[in-house]
PDB file of all heavy atoms in Angstrom:
ATOM      1  N   LYS D   6      77.984 156.799  79.011  1.00  0.00           N
ATOM      2  CA  LYS D   6      78.557 155.443  78.926  1.00  0.00           C
ATOM      3  C   LYS D   6      78.304 154.876  77.565  1.00  0.00           C
ATOM      4  O   LYS D   6      77.273 155.150  76.949  1.00  0.00           O
ATOM      5  CB  LYS D   6      77.930 154.511  79.942  1.00  0.00           C
ATOM      6  CG  LYS D   6      77.910 155.034  81.383  1.00  0.00           C
ATOM      7  CD  LYS D   6      77.263 154.003  82.261  1.00  0.00           C
ATOM      8  CE  LYS D   6      77.071 154.593  83.659  1.00  0.00           C
ATOM      9  NZ  LYS D   6      76.038 155.578  83.739  1.00  0.00           N
ATOM     10  N   SER D  68      68.621 132.830  92.180  1.00  0.00           N
ATOM     11  CA  SER D  68      69.275 134.029  91.621  1.00  0.00           C
ATOM     12  C   SER D  68      68.344 134.745  90.692  1.00  0.00           C
ATOM     13  O   SER D  68      68.291 136.011  90.651  1.00  0.00           O
ATOM     14  CB  SER D  68      70.561 133.598  90.884  1.00  0.00           C
ATOM     15  OG  SER D  68      71.474 133.007  91.775  1.00  0.00           O
ATOM     16  N   TYR D  81      69.833 147.908  95.552  1.00  0.00           N
ATOM     17  CA  TYR D  81      71.222 147.436  95.486  1.00  0.00           C
ATOM     18  C   TYR D  81      71.305 145.995  95.995  1.00  0.00           C
ATOM     19  O   TYR D  81      70.476 145.582  96.843  1.00  0.00           O
ATOM     20  CB  TYR D  81      72.134 148.323  96.350  1.00  0.00           C
ATOM     21  CG  TYR D  81      72.300 149.709  95.765  1.00  0.00           C
ATOM     22  CD1 TYR D  81      71.657 150.793  96.348  1.00  0.00           C
ATOM     23  CD2 TYR D  81      73.118 149.915  94.656  1.00  0.00           C
ATOM     24  CE1 TYR D  81      71.796 152.072  95.815  1.00  0.00           C
ATOM     25  CE2 TYR D  81      73.260 151.181  94.129  1.00  0.00           C
ATOM     26  CZ  TYR D  81      72.598 152.263  94.698  1.00  0.00           C
ATOM     27  OH  TYR D  81      72.752 153.513  94.155  1.00  0.00           O
ATOM     28  N   ALA D  94      74.106 125.331  96.261  1.00  0.00           N
ATOM     29  CA  ALA D  94      73.355 126.137  97.239  1.00  0.00           C
ATOM     30  C   ALA D  94      74.338 126.655  98.308  1.00  0.00           C
ATOM     31  O   ALA D  94      74.421 126.111  99.405  1.00  0.00           O
ATOM     32  CB  ALA D  94      72.257 125.308  97.887  1.00  0.00           C
ATOM     33  N   ILE D 203      90.667 146.784  84.928  1.00  0.00           N
ATOM     34  CA  ILE D 203      91.697 145.762  84.568  1.00  0.00           C
ATOM     35  C   ILE D 203      91.552 144.564  85.516  1.00  0.00           C
ATOM     36  O   ILE D 203      91.589 143.406  85.090  1.00  0.00           O
ATOM     37  CB  ILE D 203      93.096 146.372  84.685  1.00  0.00           C
ATOM     38  CG1 ILE D 203      93.300 147.434  83.588  1.00  0.00           C
ATOM     39  CG2 ILE D 203      94.135 145.264  84.535  1.00  0.00           C
ATOM     40  CD1 ILE D 203      94.574 148.241  83.768  1.00  0.00           C
ATOM     41  N   GLN D 267     100.455 121.612  77.708  1.00  0.00           N
ATOM     42  CA  GLN D 267      99.200 122.322  77.931  1.00  0.00           C
ATOM     43  C   GLN D 267      98.281 121.525  78.883  1.00  0.00           C
ATOM     44  O   GLN D 267      97.670 122.065  79.792  1.00  0.00           O
ATOM     45  CB  GLN D 267      98.481 122.575  76.618  1.00  0.00           C
ATOM     46  CG  GLN D 267      99.152 123.654  75.769  1.00  0.00           C
ATOM     47  CD  GLN D 267      98.361 123.998  74.533  1.00  0.00           C
ATOM     48  OE1 GLN D 267      97.682 123.152  73.980  1.00  0.00           O
ATOM     49  NE2 GLN D 267      98.426 125.251  74.114  1.00  0.00           N
ATOM     50  N   GLY D 337     112.718  94.969 105.431  1.00  0.00           N
ATOM     51  CA  GLY D 337     112.517  94.802 106.865  1.00  0.00           C
ATOM     52  C   GLY D 337     111.206  94.148 107.270  1.00  0.00           C
ATOM     53  O   GLY D 337     110.819  94.203 108.439  1.00  0.00           O
ATOM     54  N   PHE D 453     112.648  79.547 100.149  1.00  0.00           N
ATOM     55  CA  PHE D 453     112.890  79.794  98.724  1.00  0.00           C
ATOM     56  C   PHE D 453     113.447  78.501  98.089  1.00  0.00           C
ATOM     57  O   PHE D 453     114.538  78.092  98.398  1.00  0.00           O
ATOM     58  CB  PHE D 453     113.914  80.919  98.582  1.00  0.00           C
ATOM     59  CG  PHE D 453     113.841  81.660  97.267  1.00  0.00           C
ATOM     60  CD1 PHE D 453     113.677  83.028  97.225  1.00  0.00           C
ATOM     61  CD2 PHE D 453     113.965  80.966  96.046  1.00  0.00           C
ATOM     62  CE1 PHE D 453     113.614  83.708  96.033  1.00  0.00           C
ATOM     63  CE2 PHE D 453     113.905  81.637  94.852  1.00  0.00           C
ATOM     64  CZ  PHE D 453     113.723  83.010  94.842  1.00  0.00           C
ATOM     65  N   VAL D 631     128.523  30.917  88.833  1.00  0.00           N
ATOM     66  CA  VAL D 631     127.367  31.857  88.854  1.00  0.00           C
ATOM     67  C   VAL D 631     127.250  32.382  90.285  1.00  0.00           C
ATOM     68  O   VAL D 631     126.976  31.651  91.219  1.00  0.00           O
ATOM     69  CB  VAL D 631     126.063  31.150  88.432  1.00  0.00           C
ATOM     70  CG1 VAL D 631     124.892  32.158  88.488  1.00  0.00           C
ATOM     71  CG2 VAL D 631     126.195  30.591  87.030  1.00  0.00           C
ATOM     72  N   VAL D 640     116.592  53.564  89.867  1.00  0.00           N
ATOM     73  CA  VAL D 640     115.243  53.229  90.301  1.00  0.00           C
ATOM     74  C   VAL D 640     115.253  52.318  91.514  1.00  0.00           C
ATOM     75  O   VAL D 640     114.256  51.717  91.857  1.00  0.00           O
ATOM     76  CB  VAL D 640     114.456  52.564  89.141  1.00  0.00           C
ATOM     77  CG1 VAL D 640     114.263  53.559  88.030  1.00  0.00           C
ATOM     78  CG2 VAL D 640     115.141  51.310  88.658  1.00  0.00           C
ATOM     79  N   GLY D 663     127.995  41.791  78.263  1.00  0.00           N
ATOM     80  CA  GLY D 663     126.898  42.218  79.120  1.00  0.00           C
ATOM     81  C   GLY D 663     126.757  43.739  79.194  1.00  0.00           C
ATOM     82  O   GLY D 663     126.206  44.258  80.158  1.00  0.00           O
ATOM     83  N   SER D 722     133.089  34.654  91.267  1.00  0.00           N
ATOM     84  CA  SER D 722     132.627  33.927  90.102  1.00  0.00           C
ATOM     85  C   SER D 722     133.775  33.222  89.379  1.00  0.00           C
ATOM     86  O   SER D 722     133.686  32.048  88.991  1.00  0.00           O
ATOM     87  CB  SER D 722     131.898  34.893  89.142  1.00  0.00           C
ATOM     88  OG  SER D 722     131.484  34.218  87.978  1.00  0.00           O
ATOM     89  N   SER D 725     135.039  30.345  91.542  1.00  0.00           N
ATOM     90  CA  SER D 725     134.127  29.194  91.510  1.00  0.00           C
ATOM     91  C   SER D 725     134.276  28.407  90.214  1.00  0.00           C
ATOM     92  O   SER D 725     134.298  27.166  90.193  1.00  0.00           O
ATOM     93  CB  SER D 725     132.685  29.683  91.673  1.00  0.00           C
ATOM     94  OG  SER D 725     131.766  28.642  91.481  1.00  0.00           O
ATOM     95  N   LYS D 777     128.794  50.573 109.089  1.00  0.00           N
ATOM     96  CA  LYS D 777     128.096  51.778 109.591  1.00  0.00           C
ATOM     97  C   LYS D 777     126.809  52.012 108.822  1.00  0.00           C
ATOM     98  O   LYS D 777     125.838  52.551 109.373  1.00  0.00           O
ATOM     99  CB  LYS D 777     129.003  53.009 109.495  1.00  0.00           C
ATOM    100  CG  LYS D 777     129.484  53.354 108.101  1.00  0.00           C
ATOM    101  CD  LYS D 777     130.422  54.565 108.115  1.00  0.00           C
ATOM    102  CE  LYS D 777     130.858  54.959 106.715  1.00  0.00           C
ATOM    103  NZ  LYS D 777     131.685  53.939 106.056  1.00  0.00           N
ATOM    104  N   LYS D 823     145.095  15.241  78.634  1.00  0.00           N
ATOM    105  CA  LYS D 823     144.735  14.909  77.262  1.00  0.00           C
ATOM    106  C   LYS D 823     145.339  15.886  76.292  1.00  0.00           C
ATOM    107  O   LYS D 823     145.801  15.529  75.213  1.00  0.00           O
ATOM    108  CB  LYS D 823     143.203  14.909  77.116  1.00  0.00           C
ATOM    109  CG  LYS D 823     142.545  13.703  77.807  1.00  0.00           C
ATOM    110  CD  LYS D 823     141.060  13.749  77.610  1.00  0.00           C
ATOM    111  CE  LYS D 823     140.362  12.590  78.352  1.00  0.00           C
ATOM    112  NZ  LYS D 823     138.919  12.638  78.224  1.00  0.00           N
TER     113      LYS D 823
END
Side-chain angles (χ1 to χ4, degrees):
K6 309 180 187 71
S68 298
Y81 292 106
I203 293 170
Q267 288 186 328
F453 204 124
V631 179
V640 295
S722 177
S725 172
K777 60 181 183 295
K823 288 181 183 178

